[in-house]
Amino acid sequence: MSGLALSLLLAASMAGEVKSYSSAYAAAQESGKPMLVLIGAEWCPGCRTMKSQVMPRMSSAGKLKDVEFAVVDTDREDALSDKLLRGNLIPQLVLITKTADGWQRQYLTGAQSEAAVSSMISQGLAKHLPPKPVAPHREILQATGTEPIKKDK
């Protein structure tokens, strides 16, 4: 096996599952985690570096565990990328976080180092509001004995 083929195979195995925007959005709704979106194109060298090297290394090191990560291809998902992009330069990383001031986006433009992406995630998580715990239904509380059952008069 040639060195190039081996490196491509290794990058693919490290990448794991890359979620679509809709899958990551659904997972973020369920988990309450912020979303990190890489917007790029296959023809873009910086985008390919981010998608095949930087982000897989971060994922395998557990540095993406606190976010829902998705990739959006500008050529295949034109309308979505137009809504997410700030300006026309790619690659762009967008961190979408729910804060006390509402939803906020943070951007990094151009190919970035793991340290820069980690810093952006840390800053976003520091502002992130965790999801409010859902109060269990009264019936569940009563059935578990954690709340006295009130008798009808």
Side-chain angles (χ1 to χ4, degrees):
M1 185 177 280
S2 74
L4 177 59
L6 183 60
S7 65
L8 290 174
L9 181 62
L10 179 61
S13 68
M14 286 177 52
E17 177 190 356
V18 176
K19 293 181 182 174
S20 67
Y21 182 87
S22 59
S23 296
Y25 180 82
Q29 291 293 334
E30 186 175 314
S31 69
K33 293 179 181 179
M35 277 185 65
L36 180 64
V37 183
L38 173 61
I39 308 164
E42 290 299 319
W43 52 263
C44 165
C47 304
R48 286 195 312 264
T49 298
M50 293 296 294
K51 185 177 176 181
S52 68
Q53 295 176 26
V54 176
M55 303 313 290
R57 281 195 308 261
M58 291 186 70
S59 180
S60 66
K63 295 178 181 178
L64 300 179
K65 67 179 173 37
D66 295 324
V67 297
E68 297 295 344
F69 176 64
V71 175
V72 172
D73 186 302
T74 58
D75 293 328
R76 293 188 189 120
E77 301 170 273
D78 189 41
L80 177 59
S81 63
D82 284 348
K83 290 179 183 178
L84 293 170
L85 282 172
R86 181 180 66 185
N88 293 321
L89 299 175
I90 55 174
Q92 279 189 32
L93 276 169
V94 183
L95 182 65
I96 305 167
T97 310
K98 186 174 185 178
T99 70
D101 298 326
W103 289 97
Q104 291 187 351
R105 293 183 189 182
Q106 290 176 264
Y107 291 87
L108 286 176
T109 302
Q112 300 291 323
S113 67
E114 290 178 50
V117 178
S118 292
S119 177
M120 180 172 106
I121 292 170
S122 295
Q123 290 171 12
L125 289 173
K127 298 175 188 174
H128 179 66
L129 288 178
K132 293 181 181 177
V134 177
H137 294 285
R138 182 172 185 79
E139 298 82 28
I140 295 171
L141 289 173
Q142 290 176 343
T144 60
T146 57
E147 181 176 293
I149 298 175
K150 296 181 182 176
K151 296 183 180 180
D152 293 333
K153 292 184 181 182

